[in-house]
Amino acid sequence: AQKVTQAQTEISVVEKEDVTLDCVYETRDTTYYLFWYKQPPSGELVFLIRRNSFDEQNEISGRYSWNFQKSTSSFNFTITASQVVDSAVYFCALSEKNFNKFYFGSGTKLNVKP
Amino acid sequence: DADVTQTPRNRITKTGKRIMLECSQTKGHDRMYWYRQDPGLGLRLIYYSFDVKDINKGEISDGYSVSRQAQAKFSLSLESAIPNQTALYFCATSDYPQETQYFGPGTRLLVL
C-alpha cells in the first residue's frame, strides 16, 4: 500500500480560481512529519511546509493554506486566487520519525491558465 | 550561494560508461540522500546516509553505488550506465529530528 497518496494526477484551473490538492497518508508511527514541496517547470524542488503529527492547527501563508486532519489521515493544500506562477507539480511527503523513513507521493500537476 | 549543489547539472553518456554525480552541501546536515525522478512519477530513493560511516540502500539501489567522502559530500556512481537510468537525479540533505529534506537543483542524465 502506498504510504502517501495523491489521487489527483493533474488539475487545470483558470487564474484566480481556488484549488485544493489532496494528500492522504498512512503510517503506524505516532510521531511523524508531513511536507509539501513544489516543483516548477524549471525542475528544482522547493520546500513549502512541514507539519508534525502533534500539531493539527491549520496554517496559512499568503495565498497558501494547509488543512491537517488526523482523523482522515489527510494533509490537503489549498491555493487561493491561483496565479499562472503556481503552475507546477506539487508533492506531498511523509517522514516517520521512529522508522527513519521518508516517502513521497506521486505528485499532482497543477496547470493554471490565464 | 546554494546550500545544496549538484554537479554536473546535465550529462549525456553512452551505455556501459561509468559516471559519477556529485553532491555538496553547506547546511551542516549529517543526513544525505540520492533520489531519481522519472517523468510522471514521484521520487524514488536510491541510497541514503545518516553519517559518514553509515550508508544504506534505498528502494532502487541496483546498478548504483555511493560514496560519502565527508559530511558535506555524497557521490552517486552508475557503474555501467544503461538507457533506463535516464532520469532526473536529486541529492537532498536533512536535519534531525525535524527531517525536512532540502534538495539540490537536480542532474538531468541521458544514457544513450
Side-chain angles (χ1 to χ4, degrees):
Chain A
Q2 282 191 331
K3 284 285 191 177
V4 180
T5 301
Q6 295 180 255
Q8 304 151 308
T9 305
E10 188 165 353
I11 301 173
S12 292
V13 299
V14 176
E15 206 169 20
K16 297 184 182 178
E17 286 185 9
D18 299 346
V19 58
T20 296
L21 310 181
D22 297 332
C23 174
V24 174
Y25 64 93
E26 176 187 337
T27 181
R28 291 179 291 135
D29 212 339
T30 55
T31 302
Y32 54 90
Y33 302 91
L34 297 163
F35 305 83
W36 277 95
Y37 288 85
K38 175 182 180 179
Q39 187 176 38
S42 51
E44 71 272 23
L45 281 160
V46 179
F47 165 72
L48 295 178
I49 190 173
R50 176 186 66 237
R51 173 65 75 216
N52 74 56
S53 53
F54 299 109
D55 183 2
E56 285 194 73
Q57 279 190 333
N58 292 332
E59 180 151 343
I60 298 174
S61 177
R63 296 184 296 107
Y64 294 172
S65 62
W66 291 270
N67 185 337
F68 175 30
Q69 292 194 342
K70 290 179 77 170
S71 60
T72 55
S73 297
S74 64
F75 186 44
N76 296 337
F77 174 29
T78 297
I79 302 175
T80 302
S82 59
Q83 300 176 1
V84 172
V85 294
D86 295 327
S87 296
V89 180
Y90 291 87
F91 291 97
C92 180
L94 164 70
S95 172
E96 294 176 322
K97 178 177 185 299
N98 291 325
F99 298 150
N100 274 324
K101 297 290 187 181
F102 201 98
Y103 304 93
F104 280 88
S106 55
T108 296
K109 184 176 182 181
L110 175 64
N111 302 305
V112 181
K113 302 176 182 179
Chain B
D1 288 340
D3 294 320
V4 185
T5 58
Q6 293 182 233
T7 56
R9 295 293 311 279
N10 295 280
R11 178 74 184 267
I12 300 174
T13 191
K14 295 181 179 180
T15 297
K17 295 290 188 181
R18 183 180 188 275
I19 67 163
M20 179 182 290
L21 310 182
E22 299 187 349
C23 176
S24 294
Q25 53 113 347
T26 59
K27 299 187 77 68
H29 292 164
D30 286 327
R31 301 184 171 202
M32 298 187 73
Y33 308 78
W34 276 104
Y35 292 90
R36 67 175 277 176
Q37 184 182 23
D38 298 279
L41 299 179
L43 281 76
R44 291 185 292 169
L45 183 62
I46 306 172
Y47 271 96
Y48 61 103
S49 170
F50 285 171
D51 65 41
V52 175
K53 297 181 180 180
D54 178 53
I55 292 179
N56 305 280
K57 292 182 177 180
E59 60 181 299
I60 54 164
S61 58
D62 287 348
Y64 301 94
S65 63
V66 291
S67 173
R68 185 80 185 268
Q69 301 95 323
Q71 186 206 37
K73 296 183 181 297
F74 193 36
S75 301
L76 175 72
S77 294
L78 283 67
E79 299 300 327
S80 179
I82 55 177
N84 76 0
Q85 291 178 313
T86 292
L88 179 58
Y89 289 84
F90 285 102
C91 173
T93 73
S94 71
D95 49 3
Y96 182 85
Q98 289 79 9
E99 289 288 3
T100 299
Q101 296 207 356
Y102 299 93
F103 287 84
T107 295
R108 293 188 182 276
L109 175 65
L110 173 61
V111 183
L112 300 175

